[in-house]
Amino acid sequence: MRTLLFASLILFSIPSHAQKVAVVMSGGAAKGIAHIGVLKALEENEIPIDYVVGTSMGGIIAGCYAAGMSPEEIEDTMLRDNLLRWINGQLEDGYNYYYNKNDIHPSFVRLNLSLDSTHNFNFNTSIANDLSLNFAMAERMAQPSAIANGNFDSLFVPLRVVAAEIFTQHEVILKGGQLADALRATQTVPFFYDPIRVDGKYLFDGGVYNNFPVDVAQKEFSPDVIIGSNVSSKIYDEYPKDEDDKLISRSLLYLLLDKSDPQDVPASGVYIQPNLKNFTGFDFARAKALIDSGYAQTMRMMPEIKAKIAARRTCEEVATTRNHFNNRTSALLVDRITMTGFSNNQQRYINRFFNSGKRPLYLNDVKSGYYRLVSENYFKNVYPSFSFNHSNSRFSFQLARRPSNNFQVDFGGVIATRNISNIFLGLNYYYFNRILTHASANFSTGSFYKSGQLKARLDFPGFGQFYIEPEATFNSWDYVEGGDIIVKKSNSTILNRIDRKLGVSVGIPVGRQFKASFESAYISNNDNYIDQDVLVSTDTLDELILTGGRYGFHLSTNTLNRKQYASEGKAYYFAVDYFNLDENLNPGTTSTLRSTKVEENQRSWFRGTMILEQYFRKGIYSSGYYFHTVLSNQPLFANYYGTIINAPGFFPLQDSRTMMLPNFRAFNFVAGGWRNVFSVRKNLDFRLEGYLFKPLQAIVQGVNQEPAFTDEITKFYFAGTAGLVLHSTVGPISLSVNYYDDKKNQLGVLLHIGFLLFNKTSME
């Protein structure tokens, strides 16, 4: 009897212990984060997971799990702020090297082109960069790949990842090689990310041909039970007549994803579809809610899961197996930097970023070198990877060159309700050999502002890294003010400024966050203006000509989240400049200087400038300060108006540079204010800002139009704005009410679409 009972127990225990479970995870962009909650619920309830298969985001989650990460560790990774930076193409926080950041301009779209040796252009269709994402994948998957020795069956649990070969149009099942490459390939959404090469083939997102790879799990592993987790909402067998208007905004996503069919899961398996109706494929910021949805739905399905899966694996057993896998990890020490697709001269240039004389390199050395390199736009085409050498237990770090974007075209500008609209065109060309040369030409045209700027930056990797940048800039402003959509001006400012600068600067990095530059420039400016409020047809304008040299030292940093209307980050600017200029004034008929003789003077002075801007965010509210001070011994010019228009100015509001505001100009001043930003909804802000300007030595006009200083200490000038800003794909759309303590421009209403940005003058 005992023998029969014992045999029965063995017989009935065999199916449960031998039962193998595969978890299949679909693609679905951000909604794929819900798979983490599914895995979390399965482990908590001791459901064994013997194999994982995934596509797109499902492939990412599956790969992280197979790499020995617990569901809690994967969740922690997804909830960090860095995830959004990786997805949005921003450099990882703490590795933002300001040294390569270019001057801001009003472009809102960039076309990336490749200009080859036959002078043919190739257009790059990707709309996001993947620099941070690629390195994050390579960094986190290097050690699990080394443990598995390139065999996905030797990971913590066996893994299959589905990708798509775009040219022959068939799916590719990835079962070996570099784990980071497989995960990066499966999430390469066409038109969003650049494809990568795996085994010599360019691969795209697996969801294009197989978004719910149940068949792959059956073919590769023959499991007893399949748990299929589907987060894709594309499940329509017939046209969704009542929902098509809502769904049309996701048409590209539906076009690119293969249909996920619940019927693919066999009757012996379990089909899980979290309730994600209120989420989109771009809701990466709602990762916690997505994970909770996956967890809740799996817990609701748990009775069925337990009924179909008799086997159990305790949390302690899973943790022990996971720790055993992870404990086989080798330290991530790099003894070789290898490069493919680069010439010998180019490799020598790049090697300087990785401490060419030091080996081995620690991860932070490699990471710092990588982010220093890719902070330059030209190197956004490199692809990083780690490979393991079992003979010495060290890693190699490889940089592969993808098709380069050596020619870029920028388009931008602004449309406004005042006469300040303009369009912008920028051209950029890169040439890389022993040094990196970036030639640029930027042009703006409009009735108020016109400009042309030519630059050629030559980057040298030696002597701690530095650049030399010659520049030629032409600016023209025509201050003929009318009115805006509500407020009409009773009198006008008549001022036409032509501003020219020909110079060269030398720049060096100062740590990660700052850049120092030394500038020498020749200035040639023409200002034409009247010295009174009314101009008649017979009047001629004063002509003030300034020519000479400017020499300066500048230190700056900028981590603001936007070109204009920022709500996070900081920007600091410090400068010391010396000016040595010749002043030539040819008086017009509105001048009290009736002499036809040109008045000539030689002027020289020093000037120190400090501008500080920083924001502090808490939830939907962000507040920040803006502070600007100037100290100088600049002398007075021949007449008042020529003096005031060439004095440093305070420009706190978006339209400050479009008006001549004498009350906000002085040789010495302290100014600042507070900015309040309320996030009304996604991409829509309400801004309320107020500023005070205090001239330490105000410039006033004498009875004969001569300039003079006054030491009035009680006089302050106020400026403020209130308005709505929608951050769109064509730049900000802003409607604001602006106030200045200025008799000509006291109150105004401004609506503009696009970036209201201009070059600084040669004197700023």
Side-chain angles (χ1 to χ4, degrees):
M1 185 68 179
R2 288 181 181 177
T3 303
L4 181 61
L5 179 61
F6 182 69
S8 299
L9 288 172
I10 292 177
L11 182 64
F12 284 107
S13 67
I14 288 175
S16 64
H17 289 295
Q19 209 171 23
K20 297 294 184 179
V21 179
V23 177
V24 177
M25 290 170 265
S26 77
K31 293 192 287 186
I33 296 173
H35 295 309
I36 301 171
V38 175
L39 295 174
K40 192 175 179 181
L42 294 176
E43 279 205 359
E44 286 181 6
N45 286 272
E46 302 184 348
I47 304 301
I49 300 174
D50 299 291
Y51 315 104
V52 285
V53 179
T55 293
S56 194
M57 183 57 80
I60 299 292
I61 306 303
C64 290
Y65 187 83
M69 296 175 67
S70 69
E72 290 73 21
E73 289 172 322
I74 305 173
E75 178 179 18
D76 182 61
T77 299
M78 295 295 171
L79 294 181
R80 291 178 187 169
D81 289 339
N82 271 336
L83 172 66
L84 284 176
R85 300 185 72 87
W86 299 340
I87 297 298
N88 293 330
Q90 297 172 291
L91 299 188
E92 188 168 321
D93 195 23
Y95 291 89
N96 296 287
Y97 288 88
Y98 178 67
Y99 171 73
N100 285 315
K101 195 165 185 177
N102 297 318
D103 293 337
I104 60 173
H105 49 64
S107 69
F108 54 76
V109 65
R110 164 167 286 184
L111 300 182
N112 291 308
L113 304 170
S114 297
L115 179 62
D116 60 27
S117 58
T118 62
H119 305 291
N120 289 320
F121 283 105
N122 296 307
F123 176 52
N124 183 353
T125 57
S126 63
I127 60 175
N129 83 62
D130 52 7
L131 298 171
S132 291
L133 185 65
N134 293 341
F135 192 88
M137 288 287 184
E139 174 189 349
R140 284 156 179 77
M141 298 300 144
Q143 291 162 311
S145 280
I147 296 172
N149 196 22
N151 182 358
F152 292 178
D153 286 337
S154 299
L155 291 165
F156 168 61
V157 296
L159 166 73
R160 294 295 182 268
V161 175
V162 179
E165 202 280 274
I166 204 68
F167 296 111
T168 59
Q169 298 186 349
H170 67 266
E171 72 178 22
V172 176
I173 301 170
L174 299 172
K175 58 182 75 176
Q178 293 297 325
L179 181 56
D181 292 350
L183 302 192
R184 175 60 180 79
T186 192
Q187 62 157 0
T188 305
V189 180
F191 311 119
F192 197 76
Y193 289 129
D194 285 326
I196 67 164
R197 279 187 185 273
V198 178
D199 295 331
K201 298 178 180 179
Y202 280 117
L203 301 184
F204 279 90
D205 193 315
V208 174
Y209 299 122
N210 192 348
N211 196 50
F212 192 34
V214 173
D215 59 328
V216 174
Q218 293 171 318
K219 178 181 177 181
E220 292 289 320
F221 300 123
S222 300
D224 299 293
V225 181
I226 289 178
I227 299 176
S229 176
N230 177 33
V231 297
S232 174
S233 57
K234 185 181 177 182
I235 55 173
Y236 301 99
D237 292 315
E238 298 180 358
Y239 188 87
K241 295 180 180 179
D242 297 330
E243 300 180 83
D244 55 356
D245 287 335
K246 296 179 181 178
L247 298 170
I248 193 63
S249 63
R250 309 174 199 169
S251 57
L252 180 60
L253 186 62
Y254 289 123
L255 176 67
L256 297 177
L257 292 182
D258 183 43
K259 183 177 179 180
S260 300
D261 191 349
Q263 301 303 317
D264 290 341
V265 179
S268 60
V270 180
Y271 177 77
I272 300 173
Q273 182 156 12
N275 182 4
L276 304 176
K277 289 184 178 180
N278 295 323
F279 298 91
T280 73
F282 302 99
D283 280 334
F284 291 97
R286 302 175 66 189
K288 179 61 177 173
L290 287 162
I291 294 169
D292 291 343
S293 295
Y295 181 87
Q297 183 61 26
T298 307
M299 293 302 295
R300 282 191 285 268
M301 303 291 295
M302 196 54 65
E304 180 183 347
I305 295 171
K306 289 184 174 180
K308 291 184 176 180
I309 302 173
R312 296 291 180 269
R313 194 168 298 149
T314 67
C315 295
E316 291 76 15
E317 290 175 322
V318 174
T320 299
T321 306
R322 183 177 283 123
N323 289 337
H324 177 71
F325 176 82
N326 289 326
N327 287 340
R328 295 160 57 194
T329 296
S330 299
L332 217 168
L333 295 174
V334 173
D335 67 345
R336 290 183 64 210
I337 304 291
T338 62
M339 289 164 247
T340 59
F342 294 98
S343 69
N344 289 335
N345 286 334
Q346 293 170 338
Q347 290 185 38
R348 281 193 287 271
Y349 178 97
I350 294 172
N351 257 321
R352 298 290 185 93
F353 292 89
F354 297 95
N355 296 322
S356 54
K358 176 187 175 183
R359 293 295 183 272
L361 297 174
Y362 293 99
L363 175 62
N364 190 59
D365 297 325
V366 176
K367 193 170 186 176
S368 297
Y370 172 79
Y371 278 108
R372 281 176 59 205
L373 179 70
V374 301
S375 64
E376 166 54 59
N377 269 326
Y378 178 77
F379 294 107
K380 294 188 185 302
N381 66 317
V382 301
Y383 180 77
S385 62
F386 291 93
S387 59
F388 187 66
N389 186 344
H390 288 271
S391 64
N392 62 1
S393 298
R394 297 285 171 85
F395 288 84
S396 294
F397 181 65
Q398 180 172 311
L399 290 171
R401 183 175 189 168
R402 295 180 289 181
S404 62
N405 300 318
N406 58 356
F407 192 83
Q408 299 163 348
V409 182
D410 297 312
F411 299 96
V414 65
I415 299 173
T417 52
R418 291 214 308 265
N419 195 30
I420 53 177
S421 302
N422 66 69
I423 58 175
F424 172 85
L425 172 67
L427 305 174
N428 301 270
Y429 176 72
Y430 291 88
Y431 178 74
F432 181 36
N433 194 11
R434 288 185 175 86
I435 63 174
L436 177 65
T437 302
H438 174 200
S440 64
N442 299 326
F443 306 95
S444 294
T445 183
S447 57
F448 166 70
Y449 175 69
K450 299 176 180 65
S451 75
Q453 185 177 69
L454 301 176
K455 287 186 176 183
R457 172 166 160 164
L458 289 76
D459 267 284
F460 298 83
F463 304 103
Q465 195 177 13
F466 71 98
Y467 69 78
I468 299 174
E469 185 175 55
E471 169 193 344
T473 300
F474 169 86
N475 295 310
S476 173
W477 286 269
D478 190 1
Y479 292 85
V480 180
E481 297 174 2
D484 57 32
I485 58 176
I486 292 180
V487 181
K488 303 297 181 184
K489 305 296 175 63
S490 58
N491 46 32
S492 297
T493 297
I494 305 299
L495 169 63
N496 181 268
R497 309 201 70 185
I498 295 178
D499 177 275
R500 309 175 190 89
K501 183 171 76 169
L502 183 65
V504 63
S505 61
V506 177
I508 59 172
V510 181
R512 293 178 179 175
Q513 298 294 320
F514 284 86
K515 174 176 68 176
S517 63
F518 305 85
E519 181 185 25
S520 176
Y522 173 75
I523 293 172
S524 177
N525 297 344
N526 287 64
D527 294 320
N528 293 274
Y529 53 87
I530 61 172
D531 296 287
Q532 58 191 25
D533 290 337
V534 179
L535 177 72
V536 297
S537 59
T538 57
D539 283 337
T540 59
L541 305 181
D542 287 13
E543 182 182 27
L544 175 63
I545 300 174
L546 296 176
T547 56
R550 171 182 179 170
Y551 314 92
F553 168 76
H554 307 154
L555 181 68
S556 59
T557 185
N558 188 330
T559 63
L560 297 177
N561 62 331
R562 299 187 183 104
K563 297 182 188 181
Q564 196 171 20
Y565 299 114
S567 59
E568 295 181 53
K570 63 184 180 182
Y572 301 154
Y573 175 78
F574 308 92
V576 177
D577 291 288
Y578 172 72
F579 297 85
N580 186 13
L581 303 178
D582 292 324
E583 175 197 8
N584 293 273
L585 176 63
N586 184 10
T589 56
T590 63
S591 173
T592 57
L593 301 174
R594 296 301 182 185
S595 172
T596 58
K597 180 182 177 182
V598 175
E599 185 161 335
E600 300 179 357
N601 296 284
Q602 195 272 332
R603 313 289 190 185
S604 61
W605 68 93
F606 286 93
R607 184 172 73 203
T609 305
M610 179 173 67
I611 303 175
L612 307 175
E613 180 179 1
Q614 187 169 6
Y615 295 88
F616 310 91
R617 175 173 283 280
K618 189 171 183 180
I620 65 170
Y621 173 63
S622 177
S623 64
Y625 62 82
Y626 181 77
F627 179 80
H628 186 180
T629 186
V630 172
L631 299 174
S632 78
N633 62 339
Q634 182 173 345
L636 298 168
F637 286 4
N639 65 7
Y640 166 76
Y641 213 72
T643 300
I644 202 71
I645 62 179
N646 285 287
F650 178 52
F651 309 111
L653 309 188
Q654 77 276 57
D655 66 344
S656 297
R657 291 182 180 274
T658 69
M659 295 177 286
M660 184 52 58
L661 303 167
N663 290 344
F664 291 85
R665 288 177 174 266
F667 294 160
N668 297 275
F669 66 80
V670 176
W674 201 256
R675 296 174 170 175
N676 301 278
V677 186
F678 302 87
S679 297
V680 179
R681 55 181 301 175
K682 185 178 180 181
N683 295 328
L684 179 63
D685 296 338
F686 172 72
R687 299 180 70 96
L688 184 64
E689 307 172 18
Y691 305 91
L692 289 176
F693 176 84
K694 172 57 186 170
L696 303 180
Q697 203 173 37
I699 303 169
V700 296
Q701 182 173 203
V703 293
N704 292 314
Q705 299 173 354
E706 76 278 8
F709 290 124
T710 176
D711 295 324
E712 171 61 55
I713 63 172
T714 60
K715 187 64 176 177
F716 288 83
Y717 297 96
F718 175 77
T721 183
L724 291 170
V725 181
L726 176 66
H727 301 282
S728 72
T729 55
V730 294
I733 302 174
S734 169
L735 176 62
S736 61
V737 178
N738 302 330
Y739 174 85
Y740 296 95
D741 271 343
D742 182 90
K743 63 180 182 179
K744 290 186 180 181
N745 302 283
Q746 192 170 57
L747 185 66
V749 177
L750 177 65
L751 171 67
H752 75 86
I753 302 171
F755 292 103
L756 195 57
L757 298 172
F758 311 97
N759 293 333
K760 292 182 179 179
T761 70
S762 60
M763 302 276 284
E764 289 182 297

